[in-house]
Amino acid sequence: MDSTAYHAKYFAHDLTRRCASDSVEKLASVLSDAQVDLNPHQIEAALFAFRNPFSRGAILADEVGLGKTIEAGLLLAQKWAERKRRLLVIVPANLRKQWNQELVDKFHLPSVILENRSFNDTVRTGNLNPFQQQAIVLCSYQFACKKEPYLRQTPWDLVVIDEAHRLRNVYKASSKIANAIKQAVAPFPKVMLTATPLQNSLLELYGLVSIIGDYAYGDLKTYRSRFIRLGNTADFNGPPDGAQGRVGGTGSAHQRDAQGRTPGAQPAG
């Protein structure tokens, strides 16, 4: 069908119009291209991450098997469609190729895995900061820590951190990798993916949320005084055998159980 000037103007308007951050229309063009069967909770999670334009990020804490990678892929695809293409994904080393394949197969997004060899090869071509590429950059935790100065120099539009519970001890000075990554991506919007935001101690939740914003819960002393039960250190010693902590309603975490329900917030003190 031949398009008229009217059709061209309509299509241009539809492609460039701005939608509310919590509207599914914001993801409409991305969803039409995605080669994946989406579930409603995955759309909701992606919109949750976009909901507050002033937020520095969000924690998506759906349980194992509920598609956190797909949710992050929707966010990356939307940023790519908006031509905001400084995108970084920090993942465990053994998941880099899986992420690379899923971004291509399911979202038609180009990505490059940065490691020592590819980093040095890119430098030899004249690109002095290989993190600045026309593709989504995938790298491991160890590599991100090692190349922290390069991360700082890149104006990221979005940083995705998979298996983010690996950074839960960031509040400890001895956790060098976690602290290096936190400082490197601090100014940039980020989305953290983890099925276990809280495992053994309430301080782990404090650590993860502090990566999004240092003052979400105040400093460590304030967090302790507000959320610990007076005269009872059990809150910081981990749950009893067979118990699992849940996070919900904090404003920066999105979690569901296996039936797709969002658990309510539980009082911590």
Side-chain angles (χ1 to χ4, degrees), residues 213-230:
D214 270 321
Y215 303 107
Y217 283 136
D219 59 16
L220 186 56
K221 182 179 179 181
T222 302
Y223 181 83
R224 283 180 181 273
S225 65
R226 181 175 180 183
F227 292 103
I228 192 172
R229 292 187 179 93
L230 295 178

Side-chain angles (χ1 to χ4, degrees), residues 32-44:
S32 64
D33 261 353
Q35 300 297 309
V36 61
D37 294 327
L38 293 168
N39 294 312
H41 77 269
Q42 293 170 325
I43 305 297
E44 183 183 337

Side-chain angles (χ1 to χ4, degrees), residues 94-130:
N94 62 319
L95 296 180
R96 292 173 300 177
K97 290 186 178 180
Q98 178 182 327
W99 267 87
N100 177 266
Q101 196 64 43
E102 292 206 3
L103 288 175
V104 173
D105 292 345
K106 296 178 178 177
F107 297 99
H108 310 294
L109 293 175
S111 61
V112 58
I113 297 175
L114 270 191
E115 52 192 357
N116 286 326
R117 178 180 295 179
S118 58
F119 185 93
N120 294 332
D121 289 344
T122 305
V123 170
R124 281 193 286 269
T125 65
N127 182 356
L128 299 182
N129 186 353

